[in-house]
Amino acid sequence: MSHSRFESIGAYLPSTVLTTRELLSRLSQAPSFDLEKITGVRERRVHDTSPDNYEDSYALALKAAQDCLSRSRYAAADLDVIISTSITRSRHATRMYMEPSFAGSLARELGAPVAISFDVSNACAGMLTGTYLLDRMIRSGAVRNGMVVSGEAITPIADTAVAEISEKYDLQFASLSVGDSAAAVILDEAVDDADKIHYIELMTASEYSNLCLGMPSGKSNGVALYTDNRRMHNEDRFLLGTNAQRSYLAARGREFADEAFDYVIHHQFGAAAIPWMNAICEREFKAPMPPDLRVIDKYGNTSTTSHFIVLHDQLSQQSLPAGSKLLMIPAASGIVTGFVSTTISSLKV
């Protein structure tokens, strides 16, 4: 069975910058902890809400897809599959769409009317879930290539949070760390080990699904996210991923150290949590973790796009040497965890 690879990558980040200090100044009561220190979010991007240039999640996704195609060897018409993985589904300003599918609409607008198109929703693991599905489709020979794309105009949950938070600890505090973005990747069949997705595996532990829920606010007309960080971000939850990866490697006669990862990219959900996750990984794997790559300070938690916003940022700075082997670790509501092993050589921004 063949393997897939990341053939090209695109991203879009709105131009408006909102600092954490500016956001917190809108709260009626400041939190009892240093939100910027705990989350590591100094600032984030916010989508344009002006009537003439409203950037809904569909518009963001379209820009990232076009950016991805601009450096791909494939034209839109060459794509066999388009998978949209956005959590936010705003189009035509604030209207929320379930149908027609974002993927189908993007396929038509990009110029890929015959591509297989479908949407996938899997919380912040969305783009990695789309990658998982497309990887399997390519490896099986069902398709030759495809695009995974997501646009997230998610900061309205922050607007709801600042309007409604009144306690020193509130389930909406995590909403204050999010930022808007879009990302897209094209996958095709790997031709050598220099560009290759070695493996990608995901798992869901649904018993924790009530710990992070997005829904209409119970207090206003806004959309809200309620996250129990104290129960969600703990050692038992983090061990789900390490145990799964260790078992996966053991079944193949390997250990973590044998993988020789150069870098790790975690979901960008907290600067304080990521070092703790790395420490747990080192203890469980009995091996050092590679350096972790981050952009949470300047973009915040960009939900489904976070791993690829990090990758795009590193490539744009030309700070990722050719032949780098990356470990991507999702952390999503559901709870979804897993691991992706990939080597990157020819991917450029």
Side-chain angles (χ1 to χ4, degrees):
M1 186 175 288
S2 61
H3 287 261
S4 70
R5 65 165 183 169
F6 292 115
E7 187 268 342
S8 61
I9 186 170
Y12 177 76
L13 291 154
S15 59
T16 301
V17 176
L18 177 66
T19 67
T20 296
R21 182 173 297 182
E22 291 169 334
L23 184 64
L24 293 182
S25 70
R26 294 159 49 191
L27 284 169
S28 60
Q29 181 170 326
S32 58
F33 48 86
D34 188 335
L35 186 71
E36 183 172 333
K37 182 178 180 180
I38 291 174
T39 64
V41 182
R42 186 180 69 251
E43 59 190 36
R44 77 280 291 139
R45 300 297 179 91
V46 178
H47 66 285
D48 191 340
T49 57
S50 61
D52 295 334
N53 189 40
Y54 196 99
E55 292 179 321
D56 50 40
S57 52
Y58 179 84
L60 297 176
L62 178 62
K63 291 176 180 178
Q66 291 169 334
D67 184 49
C68 184
L69 284 165
S70 72
R71 57 182 63 92
S72 173
R73 68 190 183 99
Y74 299 107
D78 298 325
L79 298 178
D80 291 338
V81 186
I82 294 180
I83 306 173
S84 172
T85 66
S86 302
I87 298 173
T88 56
R89 300 181 59 81
S90 58
R91 193 174 182 193
H92 304 305
T94 57
R95 294 185 63 185
M96 302 299 291
Y97 275 72
M98 293 297 109
E99 291 187 359
S101 75
F102 266 29
S105 297
L106 286 166
R108 288 186 289 274
E109 191 156 356
L110 291 169
V114 298
I116 300 167
S117 58
F118 58 91
D119 294 354
V120 173
S121 181
N122 198 16
C124 290
M127 280 198 74
L128 291 184
T129 302
T131 300
Y132 170 89
L133 294 171
L134 185 52
D135 169 76
R136 295 303 197 268
M137 294 172 79
I138 292 171
R139 291 176 63 187
S140 71
V143 301
R144 299 166 301 166
N145 58 45
M147 174 187 287
V148 180
V149 58
S150 179
E152 299 290 11
I154 202 168
T155 52
I157 64 173
D159 297 332
T160 302
V162 296
E164 297 182 359
I165 287 175
S166 59
E167 305 294 332
K168 289 184 179 292
Y169 178 77
D170 191 286
L171 295 181
Q172 292 194 65
F173 271 126
S175 303
L176 302 177
S177 67
V178 301
D180 297 328
S181 68
V185 285
I186 289 176
L187 277 67
D188 65 3
E189 186 175 349
V191 295
D192 55 44
D193 291 340
D195 281 294
K196 185 178 184 179
I197 297 177
H198 305 286
Y199 50 81
I200 173 170
E201 299 290 336
L202 299 174
M203 65 168 288
T204 300
S206 59
E207 63 266 35
Y208 301 101
S209 60
N210 64 324
L211 301 184
C212 186
L213 298 171
M215 63 183 70
S217 167
K219 297 180 180 179
S220 69
N221 291 327
V223 61
L225 181 73
Y226 302 101
T227 307
D228 189 341
N229 283 309
R230 290 172 176 170
R231 294 177 59 202
M232 188 171 180
H233 298 154
N234 59 50
E235 184 169 335
D236 288 344
R237 208 282 295 163
F238 294 152
L239 286 173
L240 294 171
T242 56
N243 291 342
Q245 187 170 7
R246 189 172 54 203
S247 296
Y248 176 89
L249 292 172
R252 289 152 181 80
R254 297 179 64 82
E255 296 183 352
F256 183 82
D258 299 328
E259 300 302 285
F261 290 112
D262 296 301
Y263 302 99
V264 59
I265 303 177
H266 290 279
H267 176 48
Q268 303 291 285
F269 67 95
I274 290 174
W276 185 30
M277 288 184 68
N278 284 332
I280 292 172
C281 289
E282 291 189 351
R283 185 193 72 201
E284 296 300 308
F285 293 141
K286 296 180 173 57
M289 284 293 284
D292 66 84
L293 306 176
R294 307 183 200 178
V295 295
I296 192 169
D297 60 325
K298 56 185 178 181
Y299 301 135
N301 178 349
T302 60
S303 60
T304 60
T305 70
S306 66
H307 295 85
F308 296 100
I309 291 295
V310 173
L311 180 56
H312 185 275
D313 183 78
Q314 292 292 312
L315 291 168
S316 67
Q317 297 181 44
Q318 298 183 341
S319 55
L320 198 66
S324 294
K325 189 175 183 182
L326 308 179
L327 170 64
M328 297 182 177
I329 301 178
S333 310
I335 282 175
V336 183
T337 185
F339 41 91
V340 182
S341 172
T342 182
T343 297
I344 302 293
S345 291
S346 60
L347 205 60
K348 305 294 181 184
V349 170

